[in-house]
Amino acid sequence: GIKNVWDASRFLIGQSLDGACKSYDTTPKKQKDLINHYEIQCYYESNGMDGLVELLNKNEKFILYNKFDVLSLCDLIQKMRNSYRTLFTEDIFESLTISSYGYKVLCNTWEGKGDFINSLRAKYQDQYDKAKEQNNKELLQELNAEVKREKANFKGKFQIYKANSYSEDKFYRDALTAGRTQSFYNKIDISMPLAMCDVKSLYPTIMGSYDNDCPMPYGVAIPRSANEGYKKGHLGIYKCNIKHQRCLWKNHDGLLEAFKRVKLETGKDLSRQFAPNVIANRVKDKPLDWFYRGEILNVNLTSVDIDVLRWATEDEDCVEVLNGYYWTKSNKELFKDFLDPPKREKTRQDSLKGTPEYNNAIREGCKGISNAVSGKVIEQIHEDVVKPFSIKNWNTMEQDEGITSLEVQDFGCGISLITGKKSETAVFNDMEDTKKKPSYLGVFIYAYSRKLMYQKLLSKYLCLYMDTDSA
């Protein structure tokens, strides 16, 4: 039962186990009301695990509940597994989490092996069939050799660059500003009609360039020295000095009318000379300061951030670009092969709402997997080192000078782990290339997201509050 719940939890995003079982119409049904879960929790707290096990083994109602639960979850797992296989060919049982599954699918779309194999099949199938029909072994050998050459020359659909060193990867990550949560007037009590805007699936919208111009970098990253500066026409990440953020309102007359209306109806003067800042000031161990308008020195910015700053201030000199990296290529379709299948299925499920065919679990799964990858490409480098306990593993880890704080954690039932700490630099250097993440892609996803919110909303309307994808 525990394993079934764990397996199902990998699929569940924004939904309960009971809700998913109902969506998939499992056989048998989940009988959540057969027992009182609070009563069992209280019994466990009073009598411990041994007492609970004895109770569950003797009470017929509890035994029946467990049987229903295990069988319904088994049915749920298989149905959910097949749903994901319909969207993608990969088996989710080979991944630990929905985000790791999504990233695996994404990497496969970048490689383009599936499309490549299909193109080879379309190109050579008739010739193979003819050679087999004629029992022409010489032609079969020639065809095999030709296919082998094409496979050897295949380089993938997109060549996704990975940082060569920890310092380079950290340079990209230092340009990250993820969500923007801000109360533009601190705590304020406004009693009048207000409107709220929410961007639907902000990160997938950006990643797929759906209705937006959001090319993503790929290919080789080229270092750029301070005297070379900004590489126009290319996406890049640079060390910069922000001279000022005197950002201009882009809907000046509309803003004046909004300020006037608020003052007339509430008596509060919310008028401000400048629009909100584009970039926050960072101070270690303190919240981001979005109100600071002075100089910000040695800050890492993407070329998207730089362009938005110059657009907002209408001053090319508001930011000084120093050294950094730029990418040789960019493309709007880096994520589309990954995003399109769940997008189509989610749209199909939306059209089925109110009908017996509607499946909310599939809909939420499509939404979840679309959103999971934006964070996965910039997944944190974990300093924790964990291995199953054995004398061999302990000796190996103890002899590794890079590992500190070694401990054995005993979870009972024969499950023990060895845990330790390793510096981010050492972890990165020891990491296989396939395990390294193209962290700069995550930085650009979030930069484009902030650009959309800034240019569509913050620079044009009187916003009281925002939370990443809404204002």
Coordinates of all heavy atoms in Angstrom, one line a residue, residues 229-274:
G229 N 32.2 44.3 -24.4 CA 30.8 44.7 -24.0 C 29.7 43.9 -24.6 O 29.9 42.7 -24.9
Y230 N 28.6 44.5 -24.7 CA 27.3 43.9 -25.2 C 27.4 43.4 -26.6 O 27.8 44.2 -27.5 CB 26.2 44.9 -25.0 CG 24.8 44.4 -25.2 CD1 24.1 43.7 -24.2 CD2 24.1 44.6 -26.4 CE1 22.8 43.2 -24.4 CE2 22.8 44.2 -26.6 CZ 22.2 43.5 -25.6 OH 20.9 43.0 -25.8
K231 N 27.1 42.2 -26.9 CA 27.1 41.6 -28.3 C 25.6 41.8 -28.8 O 24.7 41.0 -28.5 CB 27.5 40.2 -28.2 CG 27.5 39.5 -29.6 CD 28.6 39.9 -30.5 CE 28.7 39.1 -31.7 NZ 29.8 39.5 -32.7
K232 N 25.4 42.7 -29.7 CA 24.1 43.0 -30.2 C 23.7 41.9 -31.1 O 24.5 41.3 -31.8 CB 24.1 44.3 -31.0 CG 24.2 45.5 -30.1 CD 24.0 46.8 -30.9 CE 24.0 48.0 -29.9 NZ 23.7 49.3 -30.6
G233 N 22.4 41.6 -31.1 CA 21.8 40.5 -31.9 C 22.0 39.1 -31.4 O 21.6 38.2 -32.0
H234 N 22.6 39.0 -30.1 CA 22.8 37.7 -29.5 C 22.3 37.7 -28.1 O 22.4 38.8 -27.4 CB 24.3 37.3 -29.5 CG 24.8 37.0 -30.9 ND1 24.8 35.7 -31.4 CD2 25.3 37.8 -31.9 CE1 25.3 35.7 -32.6 NE2 25.6 37.0 -32.9
L235 N 21.8 36.6 -27.6 CA 21.4 36.5 -26.2 C 22.7 36.3 -25.4 O 23.6 35.6 -25.8 CB 20.5 35.3 -26.0 CG 19.1 35.4 -26.7 CD1 18.3 34.1 -26.6 CD2 18.3 36.6 -26.1
G236 N 22.7 36.9 -24.2 CA 23.9 36.8 -23.4 C 23.6 37.1 -21.9 O 22.5 37.5 -21.5
I237 N 24.6 36.8 -21.1 CA 24.5 37.1 -19.6 C 25.8 37.9 -19.3 O 26.9 37.4 -19.7 CB 24.4 35.9 -18.8 CG1 23.1 35.1 -19.1 CG2 24.5 36.2 -17.3 CD1 22.9 33.8 -18.3
Y238 N 25.6 39.0 -18.7 CA 26.8 39.9 -18.5 C 26.8 40.5 -17.0 O 25.8 40.6 -16.3 CB 26.7 41.2 -19.4 CG 26.7 40.8 -20.9 CD1 25.4 40.7 -21.5 CD2 27.8 40.7 -21.6 CE1 25.4 40.4 -22.9 CE2 27.8 40.4 -22.9 CZ 26.6 40.2 -23.6 OH 26.6 39.9 -24.9
K239 N 28.1 40.8 -16.6 CA 28.3 41.6 -15.4 C 28.0 43.0 -15.8 O 28.5 43.5 -16.8 CB 29.7 41.4 -14.9 CG 30.0 42.1 -13.6 CD 29.4 41.4 -12.4 CE 30.1 40.1 -12.1 NZ 29.5 39.4 -10.9
C240 N 27.2 43.7 -15.0 CA 26.8 45.1 -15.3 C 26.8 46.0 -14.1 O 26.8 45.6 -13.0 CB 25.3 45.1 -15.9 SG 25.1 44.1 -17.3
N241 N 26.9 47.3 -14.5 CA 26.6 48.4 -13.5 C 25.4 49.1 -13.9 O 25.3 49.7 -15.0 CB 27.8 49.4 -13.5 CG 29.1 48.8 -12.9 OD1 29.0 47.9 -12.0 ND2 30.2 49.2 -13.4
I242 N 24.3 49.1 -13.0 CA 23.1 49.9 -13.3 C 23.3 51.3 -12.8 O 23.5 51.5 -11.6 CB 21.9 49.2 -12.7 CG1 21.7 47.8 -13.2 CG2 20.6 50.0 -12.9 CD1 20.6 47.0 -12.6
K243 N 23.2 52.3 -13.7 CA 23.5 53.7 -13.3 C 22.2 54.3 -12.6 O 22.3 55.0 -11.7 CB 23.8 54.5 -14.5 CG 25.1 54.0 -15.2 CD 26.3 54.1 -14.3 CE 27.6 53.7 -15.1 NZ 27.9 54.6 -16.2
H244 N 21.1 54.0 -13.1 CA 19.8 54.5 -12.6 C 18.6 53.6 -13.1 O 18.8 52.9 -14.1 CB 19.6 55.9 -12.9 CG 19.2 56.2 -14.3 ND1 17.9 56.1 -14.8 CD2 20.0 56.5 -15.4 CE1 17.9 56.4 -16.1 NE2 19.2 56.6 -16.5
Q245 N 17.5 53.7 -12.4 CA 16.3 53.1 -12.9 C 15.1 54.1 -12.9 O 14.1 53.9 -12.3 CB 15.9 51.9 -12.0 CG 16.9 50.7 -12.2 CD 16.4 49.4 -11.6 OE1 15.5 48.8 -12.2 NE2 17.0 49.0 -10.5
R246 N 15.3 55.2 -13.5 CA 14.3 56.2 -13.6 C 13.3 55.8 -14.8 O 13.4 56.3 -15.9 CB 14.8 57.6 -13.9 CG 15.6 58.2 -12.7 CD 16.0 59.6 -12.9 NE 17.0 59.8 -13.9 CZ 18.3 59.7 -13.7 NH1 18.8 59.4 -12.5 NH2 19.2 59.9 -14.7
C247 N 12.5 54.8 -14.5 CA 11.7 54.2 -15.5 C 10.4 55.0 -15.8 O 9.8 55.5 -14.8 CB 11.2 52.8 -15.0 SG 12.6 51.7 -14.6
L248 N 10.1 55.2 -17.0 CA 9.1 56.1 -17.5 C 7.7 55.3 -17.6 O 7.7 54.2 -18.1 CB 9.4 56.7 -18.8 CG 10.8 57.5 -18.8 CD1 11.0 58.1 -20.2 CD2 10.8 58.6 -17.7
W249 N 6.6 56.0 -17.2 CA 5.3 55.4 -17.5 C 5.1 55.3 -19.0 O 5.3 56.2 -19.7 CB 4.2 56.2 -16.8 CG 4.3 56.2 -15.3 CD1 4.6 57.2 -14.5 CD2 4.0 55.1 -14.4 NE1 4.6 56.9 -13.2 CE2 4.1 55.6 -13.1 CE3 3.5 53.8 -14.6 CZ2 3.9 54.8 -12.0 CZ3 3.3 53.0 -13.5 CH2 3.5 53.5 -12.2
K250 N 4.6 54.2 -19.5 CA 4.3 54.0 -20.9 C 2.9 54.3 -21.3 O 2.5 54.2 -22.4 CB 4.7 52.6 -21.3 CG 6.2 52.2 -21.0 CD 7.1 53.1 -21.8 CE 8.6 52.7 -21.5 NZ 9.6 53.6 -22.2
N251 N 2.1 54.6 -20.3 CA 0.7 54.9 -20.5 C 0.4 56.2 -19.6 O -0.4 56.2 -18.7 CB -0.2 53.7 -20.1 CG -1.7 54.0 -20.2 OD1 -2.1 54.9 -21.0 ND2 -2.5 53.3 -19.5
H252 N 1.1 57.2 -19.9 CA 1.2 58.4 -19.1 C -0.2 59.0 -18.8 O -0.6 59.2 -17.6 CB 2.1 59.5 -19.7 CG 2.4 60.6 -18.7 ND1 1.7 61.8 -18.7 CD2 3.4 60.7 -17.7 CE1 2.2 62.5 -17.7 NE2 3.2 61.9 -17.2
D253 N -1.0 59.3 -19.8 CA -2.3 59.9 -19.6 C -3.2 59.0 -18.9 O -4.0 59.4 -18.0 CB -2.9 60.2 -21.0 CG -2.1 61.3 -21.7 OD1 -1.4 62.0 -21.0 OD2 -2.3 61.5 -22.9
G254 N -3.1 57.7 -19.1 CA -4.0 56.7 -18.4 C -3.6 56.6 -17.0 O -4.5 56.5 -16.1
L255 N -2.3 56.7 -16.7 CA -1.9 56.7 -15.3 C -2.3 57.9 -14.5 O -2.7 57.9 -13.4 CB -0.3 56.6 -15.2 CG 0.2 55.2 -15.0 CD1 -0.2 54.6 -13.7 CD2 -0.1 54.2 -16.1
L256 N -2.2 59.1 -15.2 CA -2.7 60.3 -14.5 C -4.1 60.2 -14.2 O -4.6 60.7 -13.1 CB -2.4 61.5 -15.4 CG -1.0 62.0 -15.6 CD1 -0.9 63.2 -16.6 CD2 -0.3 62.4 -14.3
E257 N -4.9 59.7 -15.1 CA -6.4 59.5 -14.8 C -6.6 58.5 -13.7 O -7.5 58.7 -12.8 CB -7.0 59.0 -16.1 CG -8.6 58.9 -16.0 CD -9.3 60.2 -15.7 OE1 -8.7 61.2 -16.2 OE2 -10.3 60.2 -15.0
A258 N -5.8 57.4 -13.6 CA -5.9 56.5 -12.5 C -5.6 57.1 -11.2 O -6.3 56.9 -10.2 CB -5.1 55.3 -12.8
F259 N -4.5 57.8 -11.1 CA -4.1 58.5 -9.9 C -5.2 59.4 -9.4 O -5.5 59.5 -8.2 CB -2.8 59.3 -10.1 CG -1.6 58.4 -10.3 CD1 -0.6 58.8 -11.2 CD2 -1.4 57.3 -9.5 CE1 0.5 58.0 -11.4 CE2 -0.3 56.5 -9.7 CZ 0.7 56.8 -10.7
K260 N -5.8 60.2 -10.3 CA -6.8 61.2 -10.0 C -8.0 60.5 -9.5 O -8.7 60.9 -8.5 CB -7.1 62.0 -11.3 CG -8.1 63.2 -11.0 CD -8.5 63.8 -12.4 CE -7.2 64.3 -13.1 NZ -7.6 65.0 -14.4
R261 N -8.4 59.3 -10.1 CA -9.6 58.6 -9.7 C -9.5 58.0 -8.3 O -10.4 58.1 -7.5 CB -9.9 57.5 -10.7 CG -11.2 56.8 -10.4 CD -11.4 55.6 -11.4 NE -12.5 54.7 -11.0 CZ -12.7 53.6 -11.5 NH1 -11.9 53.1 -12.4 NH2 -13.7 52.8 -11.0
V262 N -8.3 57.5 -8.0 CA -8.1 56.9 -6.7 C -8.1 58.0 -5.6 O -8.8 57.8 -4.5 CB -6.7 56.2 -6.6 CG1 -6.4 55.8 -5.2 CG2 -6.7 54.9 -7.5
K263 N -7.5 59.1 -5.9 CA -7.6 60.2 -4.9 C -9.0 60.7 -4.7 O -9.4 61.0 -3.5 CB -6.7 61.3 -5.4 CG -6.5 62.4 -4.3 CD -5.4 63.4 -4.7 CE -5.1 64.3 -3.5 NZ -4.0 65.3 -3.9
L264 N -9.8 60.8 -5.8 CA -11.1 61.3 -5.7 C -12.0 60.3 -4.8 O -12.8 60.8 -4.0 CB -11.7 61.4 -7.1 CG -13.2 62.0 -7.2 CD1 -13.2 63.5 -6.7 CD2 -13.7 61.9 -8.6
E265 N -11.8 59.0 -5.0 CA -12.7 58.0 -4.4 C -12.2 57.6 -3.0 O -13.0 57.2 -2.2 CB -12.8 56.8 -5.3 CG -13.6 57.1 -6.6 CD -14.0 55.8 -7.3 OE1 -14.2 54.8 -6.6 OE2 -14.0 55.8 -8.6
T266 N -10.9 57.7 -2.8 CA -10.4 57.2 -1.5 C -9.7 58.3 -0.6 O -9.4 58.1 0.5 CB -9.4 56.0 -1.7 OG1 -8.2 56.5 -2.3 CG2 -10.0 55.0 -2.6
G267 N -9.3 59.4 -1.3 CA -8.6 60.4 -0.6 C -7.1 60.1 -0.5 O -6.3 60.9 0.0
K268 N -6.6 59.0 -1.1 CA -5.2 58.6 -1.1 C -4.5 59.0 -2.3 O -5.0 58.8 -3.4 CB -5.1 57.1 -0.9 CG -5.5 56.6 0.5 CD -5.3 55.1 0.6 CE -5.6 54.6 2.0 NZ -6.9 54.8 2.5
D269 N -3.4 59.7 -2.1 CA -2.5 60.1 -3.3 C -1.5 59.0 -3.6 O -0.5 58.9 -2.9 CB -1.9 61.4 -2.9 CG -1.1 62.0 -4.1 OD1 -1.1 61.4 -5.2 OD2 -0.4 63.0 -4.0
L270 N -1.7 58.3 -4.6 CA -0.8 57.2 -5.0 C 0.1 57.6 -6.2 O 0.9 56.8 -6.7 CB -1.5 56.0 -5.4 CG -2.5 55.4 -4.3 CD1 -3.1 54.1 -4.8 CD2 -1.8 55.2 -3.0
S271 N 0.1 58.9 -6.6 CA 0.8 59.3 -7.7 C 2.3 59.2 -7.5 O 2.9 59.4 -6.4 CB 0.5 60.8 -8.1 OG 0.8 61.6 -7.0
R272 N 3.0 58.7 -8.6 CA 4.5 58.6 -8.5 C 5.1 59.1 -9.8 O 4.5 58.8 -10.9 CB 4.9 57.1 -8.3 CG 4.6 56.7 -6.8 CD 5.1 55.3 -6.5 NE 5.0 55.0 -5.1 CZ 5.1 53.8 -4.6 NH1 5.4 52.8 -5.4 NH2 5.0 53.6 -3.3
Q273 N 6.2 59.7 -9.8 CA 6.8 60.2 -11.0 C 7.3 59.1 -11.9 O 7.2 59.2 -13.1 CB 8.0 61.1 -10.6 CG 8.7 61.7 -11.8 CD 9.9 62.5 -11.4 OE1 10.2 62.7 -10.2 NE2 10.6 63.1 -12.4
F274 N 7.9 58.0 -11.3 CA 8.5 57.0 -12.1 C 7.7 55.6 -12.0 O 7.1 55.4 -10.9 CB 9.9 56.7 -11.7 CG 10.8 57.9 -11.9 CD1 11.3 58.6 -10.9 CD2 11.1 58.3 -13.2 CE1 12.2 59.7 -11.1 CE2 11.9 59.4 -13.5 CZ 12.4 60.1 -12.4

